[in-house]
Amino acid sequence: MQNKGYSREWLDKLIYNSDIVSTISRYLTLTRKGNTYWACCPFHHEKTPSFAVNQQGQFYHCFGCGASGNVISFVEKMEGTDFIDTVKMLAGWAGMEVPEFHGDEDYLKRRKHRELLQNICRDSAIYYHNVLKSKDGAVGLNYLLGRGVDSKTITKLGLGYSNSWQGLVNYLLKKGYKRQDLIDAGVCDEKNNRIYDAMAERVVFPVIDHNGKVVGFSGRAIKNDSFAKYKNTKATEIFNKSSNIYCINLLRKARLEKNYAILVEGQMDVVALQQAGFSNAIATMGTAFNKNHVQTLSRFVDAVVVCFDGDNAGQKAIARSLEPLGEEGFEIKVLSLPEKLDPDEFIKKYGSEAYQKLIDNAMPVYEFEINYEASKHNLADKDEIPKFVDACIGILSTIPKESEREIYIKLVAKISGVPRESILRQLMFSKNKAVASTETPQVAGQTKNYKAEQFVLASILHKKPWALSVDIEDFVNNNLKNLYKYLLANNFPKVSKLFEDFDVENSTDIKAIINYDFSKIAKPEEEFSGCLAKMQLDSLLRRQEAVGLEIVNCTNEQMKISLLNEANEISKKIIEIKTLLNKVG
């Protein structure tokens, strides 16, 4: 049993008072169908609901991405909070007092250290902002004003300025922080045994996570040409430029009005768009968009409008950003800016209404990718045309809908001059080849009656009316046997309890039992009888073999008679079960 730091009785009461349907309804619109509530999954993009909430068992499962858990794990994922903060949140909603935490001391130390680093970053952000608004921040303020950033936006985004190498150090040390803590938080660097402000002489952009915590900074040099133009906080316990997203905290609010994000290249582009009213504008921290960013983004929106600079480098950046978004199933559109402008320049020149029109007319991702491939090939050269078509085959093969795929087959044909039928044949050949290369043998390592054991145990766990008691020795698969032992020992608890006592996410066997799809079983009563009979027959055959060996090696006549009688009884039972199996087919 996992040590959660609170008593089992109190956690059970918290889960009981935090009805999973009511809690998830805070985040999603659930539709009831029979005994199950359904919604589109918040953990991956989908248009047809496959996210199921079981009120009786107090658990959820997505049949699309496989996410499952209880009310605690759901809120953890949605809020991005750790276990303690999630429990406190649920307890607050349920009107329960939270007892003292008595968990892993190392966990408490790590949590306390993370809170310390967050506090240092918060106080640093306050310092930078106050400097910018003071006479000492005139250089930074003039730079921002010169870029067209107004005071309202400066306040909204908490922009700041560092005017010296030691000002922040002295400020934080006076507040009682230790020098090593400043280094651990990434706000200070060390050289020759002296620490200094890592963002010295830069305009500072605080990076705030989706929970509203300042976790790091990005700084733009404006005085010294020898500096790197942009600098991010080094990797810390709370900040990683490969996973943090600038202005993700504002996107969380913006999603209530717009269910899409505008992905741009840099902080100043985000600042310009935020000022122009596009509160759903975000940017990475100077890194390529990756799976970590996508996982964070998937909590808030289903679609992304990608808008990088209109130059060649910007077009390449768009192409690189699309793959991880597409793999997660986001609806993607591409906004192409004219005249090689960046978003900041476009807004200044044409205004926010013109930019919104570009968003409304943004190019579907497949059209952009095909046009991008066309721009990379000289199609006036006949030798380049097959290369262009080959590249487009890879794009076409990723389009799931046949009707949509047909549109882009015609586009490739139009651009290349190759007949549609030829492109279609090449596409079909490519697909057949891919299918053949990915065929895999049946999963190894599963016991003979694994599926039968799985159905029997799932029926017992979910308290189905056809479920009967089972002898523990009828289970051969050790994981399933151990789960049945657990159910017996805990008086067959609600399904949600398993998420507290097992690592369900990393246990394929347990996860499959929890999320068993009974709708595929036409006659469950007969199926249960048949499965149980198969398990019992297998158990008897194993015992029959063992008894046979014992008889051969037995030298005690009285014991041998007893074994022969047992063997006889086993044979009778085997005949009975085989007869039953013949009847049920």
Side-chain angles (χ1 to χ4, degrees):
M1 188 176 290
Q2 297 176 6
N3 180 10
K4 292 292 187 180
Y6 300 105
S7 72
R8 165 56 59 200
E9 292 74 21
W10 188 83
L11 279 176
D12 286 345
K13 185 178 179 182
L14 175 67
I15 292 171
Y16 177 80
N17 289 335
S18 304
D19 176 67
I20 195 165
V21 171
S22 300
T23 302
I24 291 181
S25 293
R26 288 173 172 265
Y27 302 88
L28 308 174
T29 300
L30 296 174
T31 302
R32 183 170 185 171
K33 294 180 182 178
N35 294 322
T36 305
Y37 294 80
W38 295 87
C40 286
C41 180
F43 307 124
H44 81 290
H45 173 68
E46 63 178 7
K47 294 182 179 179
T48 303
S50 62
F51 183 83
V53 183
N54 185 306
Q55 190 167 36
Q56 182 181 4
Q58 289 291 300
F59 72 99
Y60 65 87
H61 175 68
C62 176
F63 291 94
C65 69
S68 60
N70 64 3
V71 67
I72 294 176
S73 64
F74 178 84
V75 174
E76 273 182 322
K77 288 182 178 180
M78 291 299 293
E79 296 290 342
T81 48
D82 65 8
F83 178 74
I84 293 178
D85 283 339
T86 303
V87 164
K88 288 180 178 179
M89 192 178 300
L90 287 169
W93 293 343
M96 294 173 60
E97 283 192 25
V98 181
E100 187 177 348
F101 184 86
H102 294 288
D104 183 355
E105 287 298 321
D106 288 338
Y107 168 76
L108 285 176
K109 286 179 181 178
R110 291 193 301 272
R111 175 184 163 85
K112 189 173 182 181
H113 191 242
R114 285 178 61 85
E115 290 176 347
L116 173 65
L117 302 187
Q118 289 171 346
N119 289 339
I120 291 172
C121 288
R122 179 202 62 206
D123 287 339
S124 298
I126 292 170
Y127 171 83
Y128 290 137
H129 187 64
N130 288 338
V131 168
L132 182 69
K133 294 192 296 182
S134 72
K135 63 180 181 179
D136 294 328
V139 173
L141 183 62
N142 288 337
Y143 169 80
L144 290 172
L145 294 175
R147 292 290 301 266
V149 183
D150 60 31
S151 59
K152 186 177 178 181
T153 303
I154 289 171
T155 301
K156 176 185 176 182
L157 300 180
L159 304 183
Y161 180 65
S162 172
N163 68 318
S164 71
W165 296 87
Q166 291 297 313
L168 176 70
V169 177
N170 296 333
Y171 172 77
L172 293 175
L173 290 177
K174 283 182 182 178
K175 289 186 73 70
Y177 296 116
K178 297 176 182 177
R179 56 180 283 149
Q180 187 58 49
D181 295 332
L182 306 187
I183 295 170
D184 290 345
V187 299
C188 291
D189 288 331
E190 186 177 23
K191 187 175 182 180
N192 299 327
N193 205 32
R194 291 191 66 189
I195 62 172
Y196 59 91
D197 183 355
M199 294 293 152
E201 299 184 355
R202 295 175 183 269
V203 168
V204 181
F205 305 83
V207 180
I208 303 172
D209 69 14
H210 63 277
N211 288 314
K213 305 285 187 183
V214 182
V215 293
F217 301 91
S218 183
R220 192 192 191 287
I222 56 175
K223 290 177 65 176
N224 193 331
D225 292 338
S226 65
F227 285 0
K229 184 185 287 188
Y230 283 99
K231 180 181 181 181
N232 294 314
T233 296
K234 67 181 181 182
T236 69
E237 285 184 38
I238 61 174
F239 177 82
N240 188 326
K241 67 179 182 179
S242 294
S243 57
N244 287 103
I245 299 175
Y246 185 57
C247 279
I248 191 70
N249 57 310
L250 299 177
L251 180 63
R252 184 172 187 169
K253 298 175 183 177
R255 66 174 176 170
L256 299 174
E257 298 176 9
K258 300 174 181 178
N259 193 24
Y260 67 91
I262 305 171
L263 176 62
V264 293
E265 257 186 295
Q267 282 85 353
M268 283 307 300
D269 291 328
V270 174
V271 171
L273 289 173
Q274 290 282 346
Q275 183 166 294
F278 298 96
S279 54
N280 52 341
I282 57 170
T284 62
M285 308 302 299
T287 64
F289 208 74
N290 60 47
K291 289 184 178 180
N292 293 329
H293 297 124
V294 171
Q295 288 174 357
T296 301
L297 199 58
S298 64
R299 297 176 184 168
F300 307 110
V301 292
D302 296 326
V304 177
V305 175
V306 184
C307 175
F308 287 172
D309 294 356
D311 56 17
N312 289 333
Q315 297 297 302
K316 288 180 181 178
I318 291 175
R320 286 196 304 270
S321 71
L322 298 179
E323 186 174 343
L325 285 166
E327 287 175 356
E328 188 64 24
F330 274 84
E331 181 181 340
I332 311 166
K333 290 194 173 182
V334 179
L335 190 161
S336 295
L337 290 168
E339 304 170 34
K340 295 186 178 181
L341 297 173
D342 62 31
D344 184 17
E345 293 166 337
F346 184 90
I347 291 287
K348 287 183 174 65
K349 188 170 183 178
Y350 297 107
S352 58
E353 288 186 12
Y355 192 81
Q356 183 61 54
K357 286 182 180 178
L358 289 180
I359 292 175
D360 296 339
N361 295 301
M363 190 183 298
V365 60
Y366 301 119
E367 184 178 347
F368 168 80
E369 290 181 328
I370 290 168
N371 285 329
Y372 179 66
E373 287 298 333
S375 70
K376 290 163 58 178
H377 295 87
N378 177 16
L379 298 180
D381 182 349
K382 291 183 179 180
D383 292 336
E384 286 288 299
I385 292 175
K387 295 177 183 178
F388 165 70
V389 173
D390 287 345
C392 290
I393 291 297
I395 298 168
L396 295 170
S397 64
T398 64
I399 304 175
K401 291 183 181 179
E402 186 176 344
S403 57
E404 190 175 13
R405 189 163 57 246
E406 179 62 28
I407 292 171
Y408 294 108
I409 289 173
K410 290 178 179 177
L411 178 60
V412 174
K414 181 180 178 182
I415 293 173
S416 66
V418 176
R420 170 196 167 278
E421 291 73 16
S422 298
I423 295 171
L424 184 58
R425 278 197 301 271
Q426 186 175 340
L427 177 62
M428 294 306 295
F429 175 78
S430 174
K431 281 194 169 187
N432 291 336
K433 188 176 179 182
V435 169
S437 67
T438 55
E439 286 180 348
T440 54
Q442 197 171 10
V443 177
Q446 290 186 350
T447 50
K448 177 183 175 183
N449 290 320
Y450 178 80
K451 289 186 177 179
E453 292 181 32
Q454 193 182 52
F455 176 70
V456 167
L457 188 52
S459 298
I460 294 169
L461 173 64
H462 291 280
K463 300 181 176 65
K464 296 299 184 182
W466 58 79
L468 305 173
S469 61
V470 180
D471 189 318
I472 190 70
E473 293 307 319
D474 289 341
F475 287 98
V476 177
N477 182 277
N478 285 329
N479 287 340
L480 302 188
K481 180 182 283 190
N482 289 334
L483 179 56
Y484 187 55
K485 285 180 182 177
Y486 166 86
L487 296 180
L488 289 171
N490 288 274
N491 196 27
F492 300 96
K494 284 187 176 181
V495 178
S496 60
K497 187 175 173 65
L498 272 66
F499 290 96
E500 294 303 307
D501 295 337
F502 294 95
D503 184 7
V504 175
E505 283 298 313
N506 295 310
S507 174
T508 304
D509 291 317
I510 297 175
K511 194 172 184 180
I513 295 295
I514 289 174
N515 302 308
Y516 197 91
D517 186 1
F518 292 97
S519 67
K520 295 179 180 179
I521 310 300
K523 297 179 179 179
E525 294 89 346
E526 292 182 16
E527 181 74 14
F528 188 90
S529 298
C531 289
L532 185 55
K534 287 178 183 177
M535 292 166 60
Q536 291 171 339
L537 176 61
D538 191 43
S539 180
L540 287 168
L541 289 170
R542 292 196 309 274
R543 181 57 188 156
Q544 185 183 55
E545 184 179 353
V547 170
L549 288 172
E550 289 181 47
I551 291 171
V552 170
N553 298 316
C554 185
T555 57
N556 184 306
E557 287 300 318
Q558 190 174 353
M559 180 66 72
K560 185 175 285 188
I561 291 171
S562 176
L563 288 169
L564 287 167
N565 288 334
E566 183 181 353
N568 187 45
E569 289 300 316
I570 291 173
S571 295
K572 288 180 182 178
K573 289 179 181 177
I574 288 173
I575 292 170
E576 289 176 7
I577 291 177
K578 284 184 175 180
T579 302
L580 173 63
L581 286 171
N582 288 332
K583 286 181 180 178
V584 298

